[in-house]
Amino acid sequence: DKALLGFNGGIFGRTSPDGPIGLQVELLYSTKGDHNHYEGFFGLVDQDVDMHLNYLELPVMASLHLMNVVDIDLGGYAAYLLSSKVETSGSLGSGSDELDRDNFRSMDFGIAGGVAFNFGTSAQIGLRYLHGLSDVVDNDDLSNEIGNPQNRCLQLYVGIGIGG
């Protein structure tokens, strides 16, 4: 298993943006998933399989604002599964297919934390880690095959303020 490079984007609001402590609430579209590579059968099988899970995500973070330069964020998130898809490529063929969402839990939740660096009053770049606390799979046969994975995600982001 290897992590997939994904995308997230959305909007956020923050209480007390100039104060030392605030609450930051976000609404994001996030892609998560993993990459698997399979080799076998005397070198005849060489296949890559990528599973993509797309979520509507709601992080709620306490934000500690240090010297107008650094924000340290800690909180949690809840997410709703919008779609699931698998992409394959290799010696067994290539393609993509929507997966039955009934095989996955509709809701995901976990803890989150990170650090952001502010540039002026309206731009920041940050790094955040999300650690899922709920199993992603909701199907016994699939769980027996791949286990009970939980979402783990490292996000690098750029935020640009557009309001006053």
Side-chain angles (χ1 to χ4, degrees), residues 97-108:
D97 197 13
E98 292 291 321
L99 296 173
D100 186 353
R101 285 189 51 231
D102 291 340
N103 290 322
F104 302 94
R105 296 192 192 280
S106 295
M107 294 301 297
D108 181 33

Side-chain angles (χ1 to χ4, degrees), residues 53-72:
L53 301 173
N54 302 310
Y55 290 93
L56 183 62
E57 195 168 75
L58 181 71
V60 177
M61 316 278 279
S63 183
L64 179 61
H65 197 60
L66 303 174
M67 299 179 292
N68 294 327
V69 178
V70 177
D71 289 349
I72 298 174

Side-chain angles (χ1 to χ4, degrees), residues 7-11 26-32 53-59 77-84 101 105-109 130 151 155:
F7 165 82
N8 77 348
I11 59 173
E26 305 171 5
L27 185 61
L28 306 172
Y29 174 83
S30 293
T31 61
K32 299 178 182 179
L53 301 173
N54 302 310
Y55 290 93
L56 183 62
E57 195 168 75
L58 181 71
Y77 75 92
Y80 178 75
L81 181 65
L82 297 172
S83 65
S84 52
R101 285 189 51 231
R105 296 192 192 280
S106 295
M107 294 301 297
D108 181 33
F109 62 90
L130 287 80
N151 282 316
Q155 295 174 335

Side-chain angles (χ1 to χ4, degrees), residues 84-134:
S84 52
K85 178 178 166 182
V86 66
E87 293 179 343
T88 59
S89 63
S91 59
L92 297 177
S94 298
S96 66
D97 197 13
E98 292 291 321
L99 296 173
D100 186 353
R101 285 189 51 231
D102 291 340
N103 290 322
F104 302 94
R105 296 192 192 280
S106 295
M107 294 301 297
D108 181 33
F109 62 90
I111 57 175
V115 61
F117 299 93
N118 300 307
F119 299 94
T121 58
S122 62
Q124 78 176 193
I125 186 167
L127 186 65
R128 179 182 298 160
Y129 176 71
L130 287 80
H131 187 96
L133 299 175
S134 65

Side-chain angles (χ1 to χ4, degrees), residues 4-65:
L4 276 181
L5 185 61
F7 165 82
N8 77 348
I11 59 173
F12 73 95
R14 184 184 336 193
T15 63
S16 304
D18 295 326
I21 298 176
L23 182 68
Q24 183 164 310
V25 179
E26 305 171 5
L27 185 61
L28 306 172
Y29 174 83
S30 293
T31 61
K32 299 178 182 179
D34 74 349
H35 171 83
N36 290 290
H37 182 79
Y38 300 99
E39 293 179 1
F41 201 64
F42 307 104
L44 296 175
V45 174
D46 186 11
Q47 193 74 17
D48 290 307
V49 178
D50 293 337
M51 184 172 64
H52 301 274
L53 301 173
N54 302 310
Y55 290 93
L56 183 62
E57 195 168 75
L58 181 71
V60 177
M61 316 278 279
S63 183
L64 179 61
H65 197 60

